[in-house]
Amino acid sequence: MDQPETDATPGEEARKTDVHELVENYLTARRDEHGSGTYAASAKSELDRWVNWMAERDYGLDTLDERGPEILRQYATRLRQRTQSGGIAASTAQTYFAYVSACLSFAVREGRLKRNPAQTETARELLPEDSRDRGDQQHWSPEQRAQLMNHVVDRAEAVIDEDPFDAYTEARDRALVAMLYYAAVRGAEVLRHRQDERDGRQGLRWGRVDLEVGTMRILGKDQSWETAPIPSPALSPLQVLKKIQRPASDDWPVFATSHAPSLWKAAREQLDGDIDTLVEDLGSIDAVLREHDVAPPALTTDGARSVLKRLTEAAEVDVDEGYLQPHGARRGMIGEVYKRDRGEAQDLGRHKSMETTREAYSHLDAEEQRKRLDDLVEEF
Protein backbone atom coordinates (compact mmCIF):
# COMPACT_ATOMS: atom_id res chain seq x y z
CA MET A 1 0.00 0.00 0.00
CA ASP A 2 1.09 3.57 -0.54
CA GLN A 3 2.82 4.82 2.61
CA PRO A 4 1.62 8.12 4.08
CA GLU A 5 4.03 10.96 3.60
CA THR A 6 4.88 13.05 6.62
CA ASP A 7 4.45 16.79 6.79
CA ALA A 8 7.43 19.10 6.67
CA THR A 9 9.79 18.98 9.64
CA PRO A 10 10.32 22.07 11.81
CA GLY A 11 13.60 22.73 9.99
CA GLU A 12 11.89 22.62 6.64
CA GLU A 13 9.12 24.84 7.97
CA ALA A 14 11.69 27.55 8.66
CA ARG A 15 12.57 27.87 4.97
CA LYS A 16 9.21 28.09 3.26
CA THR A 17 9.26 28.45 -0.49
CA ASP A 18 7.00 30.66 -2.59
CA VAL A 19 5.00 27.51 -3.41
CA HIS A 20 4.40 26.97 0.34
CA GLU A 21 3.14 30.53 0.54
CA LEU A 22 0.93 30.08 -2.51
CA VAL A 23 -0.78 26.99 -1.06
CA GLU A 24 -1.31 28.66 2.31
CA ASN A 25 -2.86 31.71 0.64
CA TYR A 26 -5.04 29.53 -1.57
CA LEU A 27 -6.38 27.44 1.33
CA THR A 28 -7.02 30.57 3.38
CA ALA A 29 -8.95 32.10 0.49
CA ARG A 30 -11.04 28.94 0.13
CA ARG A 31 -11.87 28.95 3.86
CA ASP A 32 -12.80 32.63 3.74
CA GLU A 33 -14.90 32.18 0.61
CA HIS A 34 -16.85 29.11 1.71
CA GLY A 35 -16.88 29.53 5.47
CA SER A 36 -16.94 25.88 6.53
CA GLY A 37 -13.44 25.07 5.35
CA THR A 38 -14.44 21.52 4.37
CA TYR A 39 -12.79 21.72 0.94
CA ALA A 40 -9.62 23.28 2.37
CA ALA A 41 -9.33 20.50 4.92
CA SER A 42 -9.73 17.84 2.21
CA ALA A 43 -7.25 19.48 -0.16
CA LYS A 44 -4.57 20.38 2.40
CA SER A 45 -3.06 16.92 2.81
CA GLU A 46 -2.30 16.38 -0.89
CA LEU A 47 -1.30 20.00 -1.47
CA ASP A 48 1.22 19.62 1.38
CA ARG A 49 2.61 16.51 -0.32
CA TRP A 50 2.84 18.40 -3.61
CA VAL A 51 4.61 21.33 -1.93
CA ASN A 52 7.20 19.01 -0.38
CA TRP A 53 7.63 17.19 -3.71
CA MET A 54 8.27 20.56 -5.39
CA ALA A 55 10.71 21.64 -2.64
CA GLU A 56 12.72 18.41 -2.96
CA ARG A 57 13.38 19.33 -6.59
CA ASP A 58 13.98 23.04 -5.92
CA TYR A 59 10.94 23.93 -8.04
CA GLY A 60 9.43 27.33 -7.40
CA LEU A 61 6.88 29.55 -9.09
CA ASP A 62 9.55 30.82 -11.49
CA THR A 63 10.20 27.21 -12.55
CA LEU A 64 6.47 26.67 -13.07
CA ASP A 65 6.37 29.69 -15.35
CA GLU A 66 9.30 28.35 -17.37
CA ARG A 67 8.64 24.58 -17.36
CA GLY A 68 5.18 24.22 -15.90
CA PRO A 69 3.65 21.60 -18.24
CA GLU A 70 6.74 19.40 -17.93
CA ILE A 71 6.73 19.64 -14.11
CA LEU A 72 3.01 18.89 -13.83
CA ARG A 73 3.53 15.95 -16.19
CA GLN A 74 6.10 14.61 -13.70
CA TYR A 75 3.56 15.04 -10.91
CA ALA A 76 0.89 13.23 -12.97
CA THR A 77 3.37 10.40 -13.53
CA ARG A 78 3.91 10.20 -9.77
CA LEU A 79 0.16 9.92 -9.22
CA ARG A 80 -0.02 7.22 -11.89
CA GLN A 81 2.71 5.24 -10.14
CA ARG A 82 0.87 5.50 -6.82
CA THR A 83 -2.23 4.16 -8.58
CA GLN A 84 -0.35 1.27 -10.18
CA SER A 85 1.17 0.27 -6.82
CA GLY A 86 -2.31 0.11 -5.29
CA GLY A 87 -1.73 3.06 -3.00
CA ILE A 88 -4.60 5.19 -4.32
CA ALA A 89 -7.50 4.73 -6.73
CA ALA A 90 -7.51 6.35 -10.16
CA SER A 91 -10.41 8.56 -9.06
CA THR A 92 -8.35 9.73 -6.08
CA ALA A 93 -5.42 10.56 -8.36
CA GLN A 94 -7.77 12.65 -10.50
CA THR A 95 -8.99 14.46 -7.38
CA TYR A 96 -5.46 15.15 -6.16
CA PHE A 97 -4.46 16.59 -9.54
CA ALA A 98 -7.61 18.73 -9.50
CA TYR A 99 -6.56 20.19 -6.13
CA VAL A 100 -3.22 21.27 -7.57
CA SER A 101 -4.83 22.60 -10.74
CA ALA A 102 -7.29 24.70 -8.72
CA CYS A 103 -4.42 26.10 -6.66
CA LEU A 104 -2.53 27.07 -9.81
CA SER A 105 -5.64 28.74 -11.25
CA PHE A 106 -5.68 30.81 -8.07
CA ALA A 107 -2.02 31.72 -8.74
CA VAL A 108 -2.97 32.94 -12.22
CA ARG A 109 -5.79 35.09 -10.83
CA GLU A 110 -3.37 36.52 -8.28
CA GLY A 111 -0.88 37.39 -11.01
CA ARG A 112 1.78 34.97 -9.74
CA LEU A 113 1.69 32.74 -12.83
CA LYS A 114 1.10 33.60 -16.48
CA ARG A 115 -1.00 30.47 -17.11
CA ASN A 116 -2.12 27.29 -15.39
CA PRO A 117 0.24 24.52 -16.60
CA ALA A 118 -1.98 21.79 -15.11
CA GLN A 119 -4.62 22.51 -17.76
CA THR A 120 -2.37 21.57 -20.68
CA GLU A 121 -2.55 18.29 -22.58
CA THR A 122 1.13 17.75 -21.81
CA ALA A 123 0.46 17.76 -18.07
CA ARG A 124 -2.77 15.77 -18.06
CA GLU A 125 -2.04 13.05 -20.62
CA LEU A 126 -0.43 10.59 -18.19
CA LEU A 127 -3.04 10.91 -15.45
CA PRO A 128 -4.61 7.52 -14.67
CA GLU A 129 -8.11 7.23 -16.10
CA ASP A 130 -11.04 6.42 -13.84
CA SER A 131 -13.12 4.14 -16.05
CA ARG A 132 -15.91 3.47 -13.55
CA ASP A 133 -18.15 6.30 -14.70
CA ARG A 134 -17.25 8.61 -17.54
CA GLY A 135 -20.65 10.17 -17.96
CA ASP A 136 -19.38 13.46 -16.57
CA GLN A 137 -16.55 13.73 -19.13
CA GLN A 138 -17.12 15.95 -22.13
CA HIS A 139 -18.54 14.42 -25.29
CA TRP A 140 -19.60 16.33 -28.36
CA SER A 141 -23.32 16.02 -28.87
CA PRO A 142 -24.62 15.53 -32.44
CA GLU A 143 -25.95 19.09 -32.31
CA GLN A 144 -22.61 20.54 -31.20
CA ARG A 145 -20.74 18.52 -33.81
CA ALA A 146 -23.11 19.66 -36.56
CA GLN A 147 -22.81 23.31 -35.54
CA LEU A 148 -19.03 23.19 -35.44
CA MET A 149 -18.74 21.19 -38.68
CA ASN A 150 -21.08 23.59 -40.50
CA HIS A 151 -18.89 26.47 -39.41
CA VAL A 152 -15.55 24.95 -40.47
CA VAL A 153 -17.03 23.72 -43.77
CA ASP A 154 -18.49 27.14 -44.67
CA ARG A 155 -15.27 28.86 -43.57
CA ALA A 156 -13.05 26.57 -45.63
CA GLU A 157 -15.24 26.67 -48.76
CA ALA A 158 -15.40 30.47 -48.74
CA VAL A 159 -11.60 30.82 -48.67
CA ILE A 160 -10.99 27.95 -51.12
CA ASP A 161 -13.37 29.54 -53.63
CA GLU A 162 -11.45 32.80 -53.38
CA ASP A 163 -7.89 31.43 -53.44
CA PRO A 164 -7.41 27.65 -53.04
CA PHE A 165 -3.65 27.89 -52.52
CA ASP A 166 -4.05 30.39 -49.68
CA ALA A 167 -6.57 28.31 -47.75
CA TYR A 168 -4.31 25.86 -45.94
CA THR A 169 -5.26 26.84 -42.38
CA GLU A 170 -8.99 26.72 -43.10
CA ALA A 171 -8.70 23.40 -44.96
CA ARG A 172 -6.55 21.97 -42.16
CA ASP A 173 -9.00 23.00 -39.44
CA ARG A 174 -11.91 21.46 -41.34
CA ALA A 175 -10.01 18.18 -41.80
CA LEU A 176 -8.85 18.20 -38.17
CA VAL A 177 -12.37 18.58 -36.76
CA ALA A 178 -13.65 15.85 -39.10
CA MET A 179 -10.78 13.51 -38.19
CA LEU A 180 -11.16 14.02 -34.42
CA TYR A 181 -14.88 13.27 -34.57
CA TYR A 182 -15.57 10.81 -37.35
CA ALA A 183 -12.32 8.81 -37.07
CA ALA A 184 -12.47 9.05 -33.25
CA VAL A 185 -8.69 9.41 -32.96
CA ARG A 186 -6.88 10.56 -29.85
CA GLY A 187 -5.17 13.92 -30.33
CA ALA A 188 -1.72 12.51 -29.55
CA GLU A 189 -2.16 9.92 -32.33
CA VAL A 190 -2.30 12.52 -35.12
CA LEU A 191 -0.72 15.64 -33.57
CA ARG A 192 2.71 16.48 -32.17
CA HIS A 193 3.40 16.00 -28.48
CA ARG A 194 5.99 18.41 -27.09
CA GLN A 195 7.21 15.99 -24.43
CA ASP A 196 7.29 12.80 -26.51
CA GLU A 197 10.02 12.52 -29.14
CA ARG A 198 8.89 9.17 -30.55
CA ASP A 199 8.11 9.02 -34.25
CA GLY A 200 4.48 8.16 -33.65
CA ARG A 201 3.98 11.20 -31.43
CA GLN A 202 5.36 13.81 -33.83
CA GLY A 203 2.21 14.16 -35.93
CA LEU A 204 0.54 11.95 -38.54
CA ARG A 205 2.56 11.94 -41.81
CA TRP A 206 1.16 11.65 -45.30
CA GLY A 207 3.25 8.53 -45.84
CA ARG A 208 1.08 6.75 -43.26
CA VAL A 209 -2.21 7.78 -44.87
CA ASP A 210 -3.79 5.76 -47.69
CA LEU A 211 -6.36 8.07 -49.24
CA GLU A 212 -7.48 5.45 -51.76
CA VAL A 213 -8.26 2.77 -49.21
CA GLY A 214 -9.23 5.17 -46.43
CA THR A 215 -6.86 4.01 -43.69
CA MET A 216 -3.94 5.34 -41.63
CA ARG A 217 -1.17 3.92 -39.47
CA ILE A 218 -1.03 5.42 -35.98
CA LEU A 219 0.72 4.69 -32.69
CA GLY A 220 -2.08 3.64 -30.35
CA LYS A 221 -2.46 4.17 -26.63
CA ASP A 222 -0.91 0.77 -25.85
CA GLN A 223 2.23 1.90 -27.75
CA SER A 224 1.70 -0.45 -30.72
CA TRP A 225 1.21 0.60 -34.35
CA GLU A 226 -2.36 0.17 -35.56
CA THR A 227 -4.19 0.50 -38.87
CA ALA A 228 -7.25 2.68 -38.29
CA PRO A 229 -10.11 3.50 -40.67
CA ILE A 230 -10.81 6.99 -41.99
CA PRO A 231 -14.60 7.27 -42.53
CA SER A 232 -15.78 9.11 -45.65
CA PRO A 233 -16.82 12.31 -43.80
CA ALA A 234 -13.18 12.66 -42.66
CA LEU A 235 -11.57 11.26 -45.82
CA SER A 236 -12.96 13.87 -48.22
CA PRO A 237 -11.61 16.87 -46.24
CA LEU A 238 -8.21 15.12 -46.07
CA GLN A 239 -8.12 14.69 -49.85
CA VAL A 240 -8.81 18.40 -50.35
CA LEU A 241 -6.25 19.30 -47.68
CA LYS A 242 -3.49 17.38 -49.46
CA LYS A 243 -4.22 19.14 -52.76
CA ILE A 244 -4.00 22.53 -51.06
CA GLN A 245 -0.97 21.74 -48.93
CA ARG A 246 0.97 20.12 -51.81
CA PRO A 247 3.43 18.31 -49.48
CA ALA A 248 6.91 18.00 -50.92
CA SER A 249 7.28 14.45 -49.58
CA ASP A 250 5.47 11.74 -47.63
CA ASP A 251 7.33 12.90 -44.50
CA TRP A 252 5.25 16.09 -44.30
CA PRO A 253 2.72 16.21 -41.45
CA VAL A 254 -0.95 16.07 -42.36
CA PHE A 255 -1.77 18.73 -39.77
CA ALA A 256 1.13 21.18 -40.01
CA THR A 257 1.38 24.29 -37.88
CA SER A 258 0.52 27.68 -39.37
CA HIS A 259 2.63 29.42 -36.72
CA ALA A 260 4.99 31.60 -38.76
CA PRO A 261 7.87 31.72 -36.20
CA SER A 262 7.87 27.90 -36.08
CA LEU A 263 8.06 27.71 -39.88
CA TRP A 264 10.93 30.19 -40.00
CA LYS A 265 12.74 28.29 -37.24
CA ALA A 266 12.44 25.03 -39.19
CA ALA A 267 13.88 26.72 -42.29
CA ARG A 268 16.81 28.24 -40.39
CA GLU A 269 17.65 24.95 -38.68
CA GLN A 270 17.65 22.87 -41.87
CA LEU A 271 18.78 25.22 -44.63
CA ASP A 272 22.00 27.04 -45.29
CA GLY A 273 22.11 30.57 -46.56
CA ASP A 274 20.04 33.70 -46.09
CA ILE A 275 16.45 32.63 -45.40
CA ASP A 276 15.18 36.18 -45.88
CA THR A 277 16.58 36.19 -49.42
CA LEU A 278 15.05 32.78 -50.14
CA VAL A 279 11.65 34.01 -48.97
CA GLU A 280 11.98 37.14 -51.06
CA ASP A 281 12.84 35.08 -54.12
CA LEU A 282 10.09 32.47 -53.70
CA GLY A 283 7.39 34.68 -52.21
CA SER A 284 6.71 33.03 -48.84
CA ILE A 285 8.20 30.84 -46.12
CA ASP A 286 5.78 28.07 -47.19
CA ALA A 287 7.19 28.15 -50.70
CA VAL A 288 10.74 27.93 -49.33
CA LEU A 289 9.88 24.86 -47.26
CA ARG A 290 8.18 23.19 -50.22
CA GLU A 291 10.96 24.05 -52.68
CA HIS A 292 13.65 22.63 -50.41
CA ASP A 293 11.54 19.78 -48.96
CA VAL A 294 11.80 20.96 -45.37
CA ALA A 295 8.89 19.44 -43.51
CA PRO A 296 7.11 22.00 -41.33
CA PRO A 297 6.47 21.12 -37.68
CA ALA A 298 3.19 19.38 -36.98
CA LEU A 299 0.47 21.14 -35.01
CA THR A 300 0.85 20.29 -31.30
CA THR A 301 -1.84 18.86 -29.03
CA ASP A 302 -1.86 22.15 -27.11
CA GLY A 303 -2.04 24.04 -30.41
CA ALA A 304 -5.09 22.00 -31.42
CA ARG A 305 -6.79 22.96 -28.17
CA SER A 306 -6.20 26.61 -28.99
CA VAL A 307 -7.60 26.07 -32.49
CA LEU A 308 -10.73 24.41 -31.10
CA LYS A 309 -11.22 27.19 -28.57
CA ARG A 310 -11.25 29.76 -31.39
CA LEU A 311 -13.48 27.63 -33.60
CA THR A 312 -15.96 26.92 -30.80
CA GLU A 313 -16.26 30.63 -30.09
CA ALA A 314 -16.55 31.58 -33.77
CA ALA A 315 -19.21 28.90 -34.35
CA GLU A 316 -21.08 30.12 -31.25
CA VAL A 317 -21.42 26.60 -29.89
CA ASP A 318 -22.90 26.48 -26.38
CA VAL A 319 -20.53 24.36 -24.26
CA ASP A 320 -20.64 24.05 -20.46
CA GLU A 321 -16.90 23.25 -20.31
CA GLY A 322 -15.94 26.42 -22.20
CA TYR A 323 -15.06 24.90 -25.56
CA LEU A 324 -15.24 21.66 -27.52
CA GLN A 325 -12.18 19.73 -26.42
CA PRO A 326 -10.32 17.31 -28.75
CA HIS A 327 -11.01 14.16 -26.74
CA GLY A 328 -14.68 15.10 -26.43
CA ALA A 329 -14.98 14.45 -30.17
CA ARG A 330 -13.81 10.84 -29.75
CA ARG A 331 -16.18 10.25 -26.83
CA GLY A 332 -19.07 11.79 -28.73
CA MET A 333 -18.60 9.68 -31.85
CA ILE A 334 -17.96 6.38 -30.07
CA GLY A 335 -20.89 7.09 -27.76
CA GLU A 336 -23.26 7.53 -30.70
CA VAL A 337 -22.03 4.28 -32.27
CA TYR A 338 -22.26 2.50 -28.90
CA LYS A 339 -25.98 3.25 -28.70
CA ARG A 340 -26.48 1.34 -31.96
CA ASP A 341 -23.84 -1.41 -31.95
CA ARG A 342 -21.54 -2.28 -29.03
CA GLY A 343 -19.16 -4.28 -31.22
CA GLU A 344 -18.74 -1.48 -33.75
CA ALA A 345 -18.04 0.93 -30.90
CA GLN A 346 -15.29 -1.37 -29.63
CA ASP A 347 -13.75 -1.54 -33.11
CA LEU A 348 -13.96 2.21 -33.64
CA GLY A 349 -12.42 2.90 -30.24
CA ARG A 350 -9.71 0.29 -30.91
CA HIS A 351 -10.33 -1.18 -27.46
CA LYS A 352 -8.71 -4.53 -26.73
CA SER A 353 -11.81 -5.86 -24.99
CA MET A 354 -15.54 -5.18 -24.82
CA GLU A 355 -15.13 -4.69 -21.07
CA THR A 356 -13.07 -1.56 -21.73
CA THR A 357 -15.77 -0.21 -24.04
CA ARG A 358 -18.57 -0.98 -21.61
CA GLU A 359 -16.69 0.65 -18.72
CA ALA A 360 -16.09 3.79 -20.76
CA TYR A 361 -19.71 4.14 -21.86
CA SER A 362 -21.58 2.54 -18.96
CA HIS A 363 -23.42 5.83 -18.40
CA LEU A 364 -25.18 5.25 -21.74
CA ASP A 365 -26.31 1.81 -20.57
CA ALA A 366 -27.71 3.46 -17.45
CA GLU A 367 -29.58 6.03 -19.56
CA GLU A 368 -31.12 3.31 -21.70
CA GLN A 369 -32.09 1.31 -18.62
CA ARG A 370 -33.80 4.35 -17.12
CA LYS A 371 -35.85 4.82 -20.30
CA ARG A 372 -36.91 1.16 -20.25
CA LEU A 373 -37.91 1.46 -16.59
CA ASP A 374 -39.90 4.60 -17.35
CA ASP A 375 -41.82 2.70 -20.02
CA LEU A 376 -42.52 -0.14 -17.58
CA VAL A 377 -43.65 2.23 -14.84
CA GLU A 378 -46.16 3.81 -17.23
CA GLU A 379 -47.78 0.40 -17.66
CA PHE A 380 -48.47 -0.03 -13.94
Side-chain angles (χ1 to χ4, degrees), residues 94-166:
Q94 293 273 356
T95 300
Y96 286 171
F97 195 88
Y99 288 152
V100 173
S101 179
C103 181
L104 295 178
S105 289
F106 171 79
V108 174
R109 294 194 296 272
E110 291 287 299
R112 300 189 188 185
L113 288 178
K114 297 175 183 175
R115 63 167 181 163
N116 183 348
Q119 294 180 355
T120 61
E121 178 74 15
T122 295
R124 301 185 64 84
E125 184 190 29
L126 295 183
L127 273 176
E129 292 185 2
D130 180 14
S131 61
R132 294 175 303 171
D133 183 4
R134 302 186 184 182
D136 60 344
Q137 297 187 25
Q138 188 192 85
H139 62 277
W140 296 10
S141 70
E143 295 76 20
Q144 289 172 329
R145 181 263 305 161
Q147 192 170 344
L148 182 62
M149 279 303 306
N150 288 339
H151 171 72
V152 295
V153 167
D154 291 345
R155 174 174 172 257
E157 289 181 350
V159 180
I160 291 172
D161 287 343
E162 183 176 341
D163 185 354
F165 294 115
D166 194 34

Side-chain angles (χ1 to χ4, degrees), residues 42-108:
S42 300
K44 184 178 186 305
S45 178
E46 182 58 26
L47 286 175
D48 284 344
R49 289 191 184 97
W50 177 67
V51 165
N52 293 333
W53 179 83
M54 293 280 288
E56 289 171 0
R57 291 156 180 78
D58 291 324
Y59 292 159
L61 293 181
D62 56 339
T63 324
L64 283 174
D65 255 335
E66 296 168 3
R67 299 166 48 212
E70 172 194 340
I71 292 170
L72 268 294
R73 184 179 177 86
Q74 294 173 16
Y75 173 62
T77 301
R78 176 177 180 272
L79 292 176
R80 190 182 192 92
Q81 291 169 346
R82 292 174 66 187
T83 301
Q84 292 170 340
S85 69
I88 57 175
S91 58
T92 303
Q94 293 273 356
T95 300
Y96 286 171
F97 195 88
Y99 288 152
V100 173
S101 179
C103 181
L104 295 178
S105 289
F106 171 79
V108 174

